[in-house]
Amino acid sequence: MRTRLTLILLLLLPFFANAQSSMQRQMQASNAMLRQQNQMFLQQQQQQRALATMMNNIETKESKLAKEEKKRTKLQEKAKQREADLKTKNEELKVLETNTDTNATTLKAIEKSKKEVAKSEEKISQSKTEIEKSSNKIQDLQNQIQADKIKKEELEKKHEEEKKAKEEEKRLKEEEKAKKEKEKQDKKK
C-alpha cells in the first residue's frame, strides 16, 4: 500500500509542479499589469500636478502684470504732472528774465528758478526711465504668460493623448481577455 501511495505521488508530482508554475506565471502577469497601471497612474498624477503648477504660474504672472500696468499708469500720470510743473516753472523763469528790473533779489529769483527747472527736468527724465523699465517688465511678463499658456496647452494635449492611449490599451486588454475566455470555453466543449 505504501509503495502504491508513493508511486501515485510520484506520478502526480509533475501535474502539481506544472499547476504551480502556471499559477506563478499568472501571478507574475497580473503583478506586471498592476505595476504598469500604477506607473501610468503616477504619470497621470505628475501631469496633473504640472498642469496645476502651470495654471498657478500663469495666474501669478497675470496678477504681477496687472500690478505693473497699474504702476506704469501712475508713473505716466506723475510724469505728466511733472511736465506741467516744468512748463509753469519755465514760464515763471521767462517772466523773471524778461523783467527789466535787475536787482539782486531778481537775480536770486532767476537763479532759484533755473535750479527748480533743472530739478524738474531731472525728475521728468527719471520718470521716463521708470516708465520705460515698467514697460519692459510688462512686455517680459506678457511674453512669459504667453509661453506658459503654450506649455499648458502642450501639457493638456499630452495628457489627453495619454488618456486616449490608456483607454485604448484597456480596451485591447479587455478584448484579449474576452478572446482567451472564449477560447477556454471552446476548449471545454
Side-chain angles (χ1 to χ4, degrees), residues 165-180:
K166 184 178 177 182
E167 289 173 1
E168 181 67 21
E169 187 176 322
K170 188 176 179 180
R171 186 186 60 80
L172 289 173
K173 284 181 182 180
E174 288 175 1
E175 286 177 3
E176 190 176 309
K177 190 175 181 181
K179 191 176 182 181
K180 284 183 182 180

Side-chain angles (χ1 to χ4, degrees), residues 42-58 148 151-153 155-156 158-159:
L42 287 174
Q43 285 176 342
Q44 195 174 21
Q45 280 186 331
Q46 287 174 344
Q47 287 176 347
Q48 288 174 345
R49 273 191 232 113
L51 197 60
T53 303
M54 193 62 62
M55 289 293 293
N56 190 21
N57 285 346
I58 291 170
D148 285 350
K151 286 179 187 177
K152 182 187 128 215
E153 288 173 6
L155 280 174
E156 286 175 341
K158 187 177 178 183
H159 181 65

Side-chain angles (χ1 to χ4, degrees), residues 72-82 131:
R72 183 177 66 179
T73 54
K74 284 183 180 180
L75 288 172
Q76 287 172 337
E77 289 173 7
K78 197 174 186 180
K80 285 179 184 178
Q81 187 178 15
R82 286 180 176 173
I131 289 170

